């Protein structure tokens, strides 16, 4: 299995790349000097000049095409000595670059494996298409650890210098999921375009980690039931969401535009939503009413939702509502207010 680590650029690779460019320029220069020298100084035809340059640089020892004058012999001898050094240097640099590229790849694979092995409660994103890219963008905005899996190496190439961990492999294979740390992951996202592949991944993932939260994409209504039966906690249909959104722009355009500002991004002017567990809000372990916590004064954020321990949601909860253990509060606010919220409760 090939691991790709875009965590850093190796200075060794940069140095070798620079030396390789110099070596190639020297090699081209040596050939051009020989060709033009034999052509214009000795009066050879272009074909004969190229031929003489090749046999001279390679030191094969074939006889010259035509007799050389003493001065031409002296210049040719000088050219042979110089070309031996230049060509020898170029060959050594090219050979070193080829060998070191494999070594760098092996070193990179070890570093990525070490990074992935150290992850815990991370997210595994299967498939880096349009939906996968959007999901990764949101995960990055919230600084969530994640590993991308995709079998198309060309799709992953742009990530080389992006600072993200990814594996070039087929997510339908158990071994690939294990290499992504599925036994330690908190969430799996299946964003592959094929419903069959997504169902297969969900089945495999649930067997490898039954505590895993699984979110899957679906293209057909009929697949939604199968994915949930296989173990998916949430099933998303992008086409359906897109159609609903387009219709909503006709029916309630201002409301949709406002909702479009609700995000997990850090862009100026956006409105962020954040959820916080009971343990962070009530660090003393005691149950308090919302009004006792004075959350808006402390952070500037507004409480818009409450999730009780049974998973039931309350919109715009009353100030007298008492927070229960294992519950969550949902806040809304500007990026700066959300940041203050996180600092206040040490998230």
């Amino acid at each position: 299995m090939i691991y790709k680590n875009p965590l850093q650029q190796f200075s060794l690779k940069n140095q070798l790349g620079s030396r390789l460019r110099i070596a190639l320029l020297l090699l081209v220069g040596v050939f051009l000097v020989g060709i033009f020298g034999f052509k214009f100084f000795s009066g050879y035809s272009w074909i004969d000049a190229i031929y003489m340059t090749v046999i001279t640089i390679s030191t094969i020892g074939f006889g010259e095409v035509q007799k050389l004058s003493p001065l031409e012999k002296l210049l040719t001898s000088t050219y042979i000595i110089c070309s031996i050094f230049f060509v020898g240097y170029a060959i050594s640099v090219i050979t070193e670059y080829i060998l070191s590229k494999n070594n760098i790849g092996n070193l990179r694979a070890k570093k990525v494996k070490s990074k992935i092995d150290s992850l815990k409660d991370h997210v595994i994103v299967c498939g880096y298409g349009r939906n996968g890219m959007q999901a990764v963008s949101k995960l990055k905005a919230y600084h969530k650890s994640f590993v991308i899996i995709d079998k198309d190496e060309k799709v992953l190439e742009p990530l080389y210098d992006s600072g993200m961990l990814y594996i070039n492999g087929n997510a339908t294979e158990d071994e690939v999921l294990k290499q992504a740390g599925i036994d330690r992951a908190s969430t799996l996202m299946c964003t592959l375009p094929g419903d069959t592949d997504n169902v297969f991944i969900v089945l495999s993932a649930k067997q490898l980690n039954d505590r895993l939260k699984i979110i899957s994409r679906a293209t057909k209504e009929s697949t939604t039931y199968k994915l949930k039966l296989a173990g998916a906690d949430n099933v998303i249909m992008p086409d359906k969401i897109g159609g609903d959104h387009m219709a909503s722009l006709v029916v309630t355009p201002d409301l949709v535009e406002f909702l479009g500002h609700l995000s997990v991004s850090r862009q100026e002017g956006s409105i962020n939503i954040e959820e916080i567990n009971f343990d962070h809000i009530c660090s003393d372990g005691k149950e308090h009413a919302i009004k006792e916590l004075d959350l808006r004064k402390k952070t500037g954020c507004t409480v818009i939702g409450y999730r009780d321990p049974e998973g039931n949601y309350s919109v715009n909860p009353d100030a007298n509502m008492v927070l229960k253990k294992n519950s969550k509060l949902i806040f809304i606010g500007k990026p700066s207010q959300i940041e203050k919220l996180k600092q206040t409760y040490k998230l």
Side-chain angles (χ1 to χ4, degrees):
M1 181 55 54
I2 300 174
Y3 288 86
K4 302 283 185 179
N5 182 15
L7 297 173
Q8 62 179 17
Q9 276 282 34
F10 291 92
S11 59
L12 176 60
K13 183 179 178 181
N14 292 334
Q15 293 172 8
L16 287 174
S18 177
R19 289 173 57 193
L20 179 65
R21 285 191 291 272
I22 295 173
L24 291 175
L25 287 174
L26 285 174
L27 198 58
V28 172
V30 168
F31 270 94
L32 291 177
V33 168
I35 292 170
F36 284 107
F38 284 115
K39 167 64 180 176
F40 296 108
F41 189 78
S42 300
Y44 283 46
S45 67
W46 284 111
I47 297 297
D48 287 343
I50 294 172
Y51 173 74
M52 282 296 296
T53 300
V54 172
I55 66 173
T56 301
I57 290 176
S58 61
T59 65
I60 290 177
F62 290 162
E64 59 268 16
V65 176
Q66 64 188 39
K67 291 290 183 178
L68 300 174
S69 67
L71 179 59
E72 289 173 337
K73 289 180 180 179
L74 179 61
L75 292 175
T76 301
S77 299
T78 304
Y79 176 66
I80 291 173
I81 294 172
C82 292
S83 65
I84 287 175
F85 285 105
F86 291 148
V87 173
Y89 173 77
I91 291 175
S92 66
V93 170
I94 293 171
T95 303
E96 183 182 2
Y97 180 80
I98 294 172
L99 294 176
S100 64
K101 194 172 183 181
N102 292 331
N103 291 334
I104 290 173
N106 294 333
L107 178 61
R108 184 183 303 123
K110 291 178 181 178
K111 290 180 72 68
V112 173
K113 187 176 186 303
S114 176
K115 290 287 184 181
I116 294 176
D117 289 346
S118 67
L119 293 179
K120 187 177 181 182
D121 296 329
H122 58 288
V123 180
I124 299 175
V125 181
C126 301
Y128 195 62
R130 286 173 296 180
N131 296 125
M133 289 181 184
Q134 291 173 353
V136 166
S137 176
K138 292 296 182 182
L139 292 173
K140 286 176 64 179
Y142 258 38
H143 307 291
K144 287 288 292 182
S145 301
F146 60 87
V147 178
I148 300 168
I149 301 176
D150 199 293
K151 63 181 179 181
D152 189 347
E153 191 169 358
K154 291 183 179 179
V155 171
L156 298 175
E157 282 179 1
L159 302 182
Y160 186 81
D161 300 316
S162 65
M164 294 185 283
L165 289 172
Y166 60 90
I167 297 175
N168 178 209
N170 193 338
T172 60
E173 298 177 4
D174 289 358
E175 188 59 33
V176 174
L177 293 175
K178 290 177 182 177
Q179 289 167 350
I182 193 169
D183 57 321
R184 304 180 308 279
S186 63
T187 308
L188 178 81
M189 303 179 70
C190 300
T191 66
L192 298 178
D195 287 352
T196 304
D197 288 337
N198 287 329
V199 171
F200 194 86
I201 293 171
V202 171
L203 281 169
S204 300
K206 210 63 178 178
Q207 293 296 320
L208 295 171
N209 184 352
D210 58 359
R211 304 180 306 279
L212 195 67
K213 180 179 181 180
I214 301 178
I215 304 169
S216 179
R217 167 189 170 172
T219 57
K220 299 177 182 178
E221 286 277 4
S222 57
T223 312
T224 302
Y225 173 73
K226 295 177 183 177
L227 283 165
K228 289 190 174 182
L229 191 64
D233 298 281
N234 301 96
V235 179
I236 309 299
M237 296 186 66
D239 294 338
K240 182 179 179 181
I241 293 174
D244 288 343
H245 185 78
M246 293 172 70
S248 297
L249 283 170
V250 176
V251 181
T252 54
D254 294 332
L255 176 60
V256 173
E257 186 175 354
F258 172 76
L259 293 175
H261 287 282
L262 301 180
S263 67
V264 294
S265 69
R266 297 291 187 270
Q267 296 179 355
E268 193 63 34
S270 64
I271 303 171
N272 291 173
I273 299 176
E274 181 69 67
E275 63 175 23
I276 301 183
N277 294 328
F278 170 87
D279 295 336
H280 287 99
I281 299 173
C282 302
S283 56
D284 57 3
K286 298 179 180 179
E287 298 179 346
H288 298 278
I290 295 177
K291 65 179 181 181
E292 295 174 9
L293 300 171
D294 205 8
L295 299 168
R296 182 168 178 79
K297 185 177 180 180
K298 290 180 180 177
T299 65
C301 295
T302 302
V303 178
I304 61 169
Y306 172 73
R307 181 182 183 276
D308 66 23
E310 288 73 38
N312 302 312
Y313 287 89
S314 298
V315 179
N316 193 22
D318 189 87
N320 294 316
M321 177 176 283
V322 178
L323 303 184
K324 301 295 183 182
K325 293 182 179 180
N326 299 320
S327 64
K328 291 182 180 180
L329 278 181
I330 302 172
F331 296 84
I332 188 171
K334 298 177 182 178
S336 58
Q337 294 170 332
I338 293 293
E339 195 61 37
K340 186 176 181 181
L341 175 73
K342 290 191 170 187
Q343 292 176 1
T344 301
Y345 293 105
K346 298 179 175 58
L347 298 178

